[in-house]
Amino acid sequence: MTRVAIIGAGMTAFGQLWEKGLIDLAVEANNKALEDAGIGRKQIQALYCGNMSSGMFTKQEHVSSLIAGASGLSPIPSTRIEAACASGSAAIREGFLAIKSGLYDSVMVVGAEKMTDVSSTASTRILSAASSQEFEASIGATFPGLYALLARLHMHRFGTTEEQLAGVAVKNHMNALNNPYAHLRKKISVEDVLRSQKIADPIKLLDCAPVSDGAATVILASEKTAKSLTDTPVWIEASAQASDTISLHDRDDLTSLNASAVASREALRQARLENQDIDCLELHDCFTIAEILAIEDLGFVGKGKGGKFVEDGQTEIGGKIPVNPSGGLKAKGHPIGASGVAQAVESFWQLRGEAANNTNPARIMTHNVGGSGATAVVHIFGR
Amino acid sequence: MTASIWRNLNSFYNLIGSKCRCSELHFPEAHVCRKCGSTALTEHEFSGKGKIVTYTIIRQQYNDETESEKLMIGNPYIIAIVQLEEGPMITAQISDANPEEVTMGAAVTSVFRKISQDGEDGVIKYGYKFILA
Ligand SMILES: [Zn+2]
């Protein structure tokens, strides 16, 4: 089977982009990626669109064909992939599989979300549709609430502190300072996080990723096509996805997201690598506790030791394993369906030495979570 | 809305879940046993006694002014994952308590309460909440 490469990438700035609609965002990212790859529209054989909830955010469904048409790509097949906050990475995986199968030589994957046309209360409610509507959301368990349940148990069982959680936000804000695409380019302190508005104890406002608009696009190609178009392809060395129960309360262990652990192990197995072979992580930090859970679940630090690992600076650029040099969801922004694709865009730039905070990696792992861990997608990218 | 409430009456009103022939218990009612994959499940009513595994105090606004359905909650309100004495866990509001009274591991017991109301004269959804025992 052919190897699969990323041959071009592009994204919009993330933020509250009132002047741009969902389609404007997707087309902008698509055009940038096409130009970056140096590939013609006619060579793109299929489009995969990661989007969580265009229907509830903008009352527009069927956005796959809408984006294809607006991007000048009709009549190629265009398919929307929804896996809550992991929609973007799940879409990349579908594109990867289509090329791997030999069916296509080059496809486009776009992730896009327009979130700020609705009130913040409405967006909280829309996001809660990624949890169990009947047995979590409808009784009042918001998304910050669900992650707060995980955070309190982690603190109770392992002694993880609110200061350690805040440390994740401080680092990711610091990383985003240099990133021209980031939503929150503002240096913050641990005290700022601790003093920010309480959302769902122990989670505070600055523990949360912002509500953002944005889109990101990658163009995937077979080995033969990639080599004909570029001397510096970025290879997808592994693509793994796992699921879990949608409700937290149905899981055996609430100090871990098992789907993350399963997907990570499977990705490392596919690439024939071990954790120590990974140089950099772009992972799913929708809340600060999520980054601590992820570095543990992905196998980079022992269970319960994530808080101390962050406190010791091991996840900073220059630390043992740089985590979220882009600023992560926390500071780069979290337009739900775009986030997973934006992680791949960052990886592409990191591996080509074009990222804002270049960590000069040979291999990057990305990790994208849907909901409170009911989906996890892990990719490994290499030069 | 009405039909979706009616479908889950067993779970919401009577804390009824499922018991598999392998003895695994489920809440809410399950179609397939998560442990052995069997579809031979029968109704099982839980006692409503349990303990708090983890909890949070939610201070965000939950009810959206543009929607008629309103959740019956305090400000702030408490959400917990409760482990029932029979084993399964359940997410629920902790009612009739101040946030500072709630602790990890606290014993709780289920009560039957108004969960939400859809409009002034609209459908009222009843169901389980928990109180400190
Ligand atoms: Zn069974």
Side-chain angles (χ1 to χ4, degrees), chain B residues 20 22 24 33 36:
Chain B
C20 180
C22 81
E24 180 77 359
C33 175
C36 74

Side-chain angles (χ1 to χ4, degrees), chain B residues 1-2 5 69 114 116-125:
Chain B
M1 190 61 216
T2 318
I5 295 174
E69 189 188 359
K114 196 169 163 182
S116 64
Q117 181 165 0
D118 194 357
E120 285 284 301
D121 312 309
V123 177
I124 296 173
K125 177 181 158 186

Side-chain angles (χ1 to χ4, degrees), chain B residues 54-123:
Chain B
T54 181
Y55 68 96
T56 181
I57 319 298
I58 298 190
R59 299 169 193 277
Q60 267 177 308
Q61 190 179 325
Y62 180 90
N63 288 319
D64 186 346
E65 61 276 12
T66 64
E67 285 188 33
S68 59
E69 189 188 359
K70 305 293 181 199
L71 196 69
M72 299 295 141
I73 41 176
N75 179 27
Y77 62 100
I78 305 159
I79 293 285
I81 291 181
V82 169
Q83 180 156 37
L84 301 170
E85 63 180 1
E86 297 92 341
M89 295 193 289
I90 182 169
T91 304
Q93 281 181 44
I94 303 298
S95 196
D96 308 355
N98 293 317
E100 56 272 19
E101 294 175 300
V102 180
T103 54
M104 298 290 269
V108 291
T109 184
S110 68
V111 288
F112 185 65
R113 288 288 160 84
K114 196 169 163 182
I115 300 288
S116 64
Q117 181 165 0
D118 194 357
E120 285 284 301
D121 312 309
V123 177

Side-chain angles (χ1 to χ4, degrees), chain B residues 20-24 26 32-38 40-41:
Chain B
C20 180
R21 61 182 177 193
C22 81
S23 86
E24 180 77 359
H26 304 74
V32 182
C33 175
R34 69 176 144 234
K35 197 164 191 182
C36 74
S38 167
L41 298 150

Side-chain angles (χ1 to χ4, degrees), chain A residues 161-184:
Chain A
T161 65
E162 293 187 53
E163 287 78 6
Q164 289 168 343
L165 296 177
V168 171
V170 170
K171 169 192 60 89
N172 289 348
H173 273 250
M174 183 64 87
N175 290 351
L177 272 183
N178 283 335
N179 186 348
Y181 296 90
H183 184 168
L184 303 175

Side-chain angles (χ1 to χ4, degrees), chain A residues 124-157:
Chain A
T124 302
R125 293 289 294 277
I126 291 168
L127 294 175
S128 75
S131 65
S132 168
Q133 193 60 244
E134 292 177 317
F135 294 97
E136 292 178 321
S138 70
I139 59 126
T142 60
F143 248 92
L146 292 173
Y147 275 90
L149 294 170
L150 295 169
R152 188 182 300 277
L153 191 62
H154 204 275
M155 293 165 70
H156 180 74
R157 196 160 298 168

